Amino acid sequence: MKFFVDTASRKEIKRLVEWGIIDGVTTNPSLLSREEGKPEEIIRDICEIVGGPVSVEVVATDYENMVKEGRRLASLHEHVVIKIPLTEDGIKAMKTLSDEGIRINATLIFNPIQALVAARAGATYVSPFVGRLDDIGHDGMQIVKQIVDIFTIHEIETKVLAASIRHPRHVLLAALAGADIVTIPPAVFDKMIRHPLTDVGLEKFLSDWKKASKSFDS
Ligand code: E4P
């Protein structure tokens, strides 16, 4: 399972890319609106930093303008993937743009049938929003599991990108559900690597070593 970062913060992306485990980035209009500067510059910078797929969402809602905006955003950098919401106009735009060879991330997916439709429209990725379903009392990860099962049964190549991740347990469950990718906010990455027993264990190893006054040959 690949890890994407769910942010438009260049600072956070740089920090996490240094870990060496990041394959891509997902942004959305809310995330981009929080950053200073021109969106186009931010997008190009992110593409250069991550060197992999960077999802950028269209803000147009009608077919013609979604297609126009999608083409323009895709021309910003070879790593740009166009995020399109699962609406009637969105499906048509997905089909047109994917036929032109532009990669699509179908976003705001809340059930497996929406994912199936997006795959038929040529989407490279489908993004089921796990946390937002959990927020209203549903089991968001069940949707991920069902999409993975459907795509496996029907040999559909579209990648399942688990999104709207709130905590490390979501990452664990996405891995168990068979998601291809999980897009994770920076704060959740930080929580994923922490364990109190790791800190206690390290402290003990180092104090034992120091007490014995040992050292490795340099
Ligand atoms: C996905 O690509 C979206 O950017 C994101 O995961 C939405 O998550 P949220 O529910 O935390 O806003």
Side-chain angles (χ1 to χ4, degrees):
M1 184 174 72
K2 290 184 173 175
F3 292 147
F4 285 8
V5 193
D6 198 23
T7 184
S9 159
R10 287 168 283 191
K11 193 171 158 227
E12 287 291 41
I13 294 167
K14 263 186 211 146
R15 179 176 75 87
L16 290 163
V17 161
E18 282 173 11
W19 291 16
I21 59 164
I22 304 301
D23 296 291
V25 168
T26 52
T27 69
N28 62 42
S30 306
L31 293 171
L32 267 171
S33 70
R34 286 178 212 150
E35 303 302 315
E36 292 289 333
K38 271 189 72 68
E40 285 86 352
E41 268 170 36
I42 298 172
I43 292 162
R44 281 200 202 95
D45 286 352
I46 294 174
C47 289
E48 287 297 317
I49 298 165
V50 75
V54 175
S55 291
V56 183
E57 188 163 338
V58 295
V59 289
T61 52
D62 64 290
Y63 167 75
E64 303 285 345
N65 286 309
M66 279 174 153
V67 168
K68 219 187 276 174
E69 212 176 289
R71 286 182 186 136
R72 201 175 53 76
L73 292 170
S75 74
L76 289 178
H77 198 284
E78 57 175 335
H79 292 321
V80 170
V81 172
I82 302 302
K83 236 180 175 186
I84 300 188
L86 208 286
T87 60
E88 188 171 343
D89 284 33
I91 294 158
K92 291 193 282 179
M94 283 180 207
K95 179 76 178 119
T96 300
L97 293 172
S98 63
D99 282 351
E100 292 174 12
I102 292 173
R103 287 174 300 167
I104 303 297
N105 176 354
T107 192
L108 292 167
I109 300 273
F110 293 98
N111 73 46
I113 299 303
Q114 289 181 311
L116 189 55
V117 169
R120 295 291 300 149
T124 301
Y125 307 95
V126 289
S127 291
F129 275 38
V130 175
R132 293 193 194 186
L133 279 166
D134 287 0
D135 289 347
I136 58 160
H138 290 251
D139 180 359
M141 208 50 77
Q142 188 58 26
I143 307 301
V144 174
K145 176 91 185 69
Q146 287 175 347
I147 299 170
V148 169
D149 288 349
I150 291 168
F151 286 6
T152 305
I153 292 165
H154 297 282
E155 298 179 355
I156 292 168
E157 285 178 9
T158 302
K159 303 288 181 213
V160 182
L161 199 175
S164 185
I165 295 299
R166 304 267 195 264
H167 44 67
R169 189 165 165 75
H170 273 156
V171 179
L172 169 69
L173 296 176
L176 290 170
D180 298 289
I181 305 153
V182 62
T183 189
I184 306 170
V188 176
F189 270 109
D190 292 331
K191 289 182 188 152
M192 281 163 59
I193 60 168
R194 294 222 176 95
H195 197 288
L197 289 180
T198 304
D199 299 339
V200 170
L202 179 60
E203 214 173 288
K204 175 86 172 85
F205 285 154
L206 294 181
S207 72
D208 287 347
W209 189 252
K210 205 171 165 194
K211 259 185 258 157
S213 299
K214 300 229 180 259
S215 64
F216 289 122
D217 291 339
S218 52

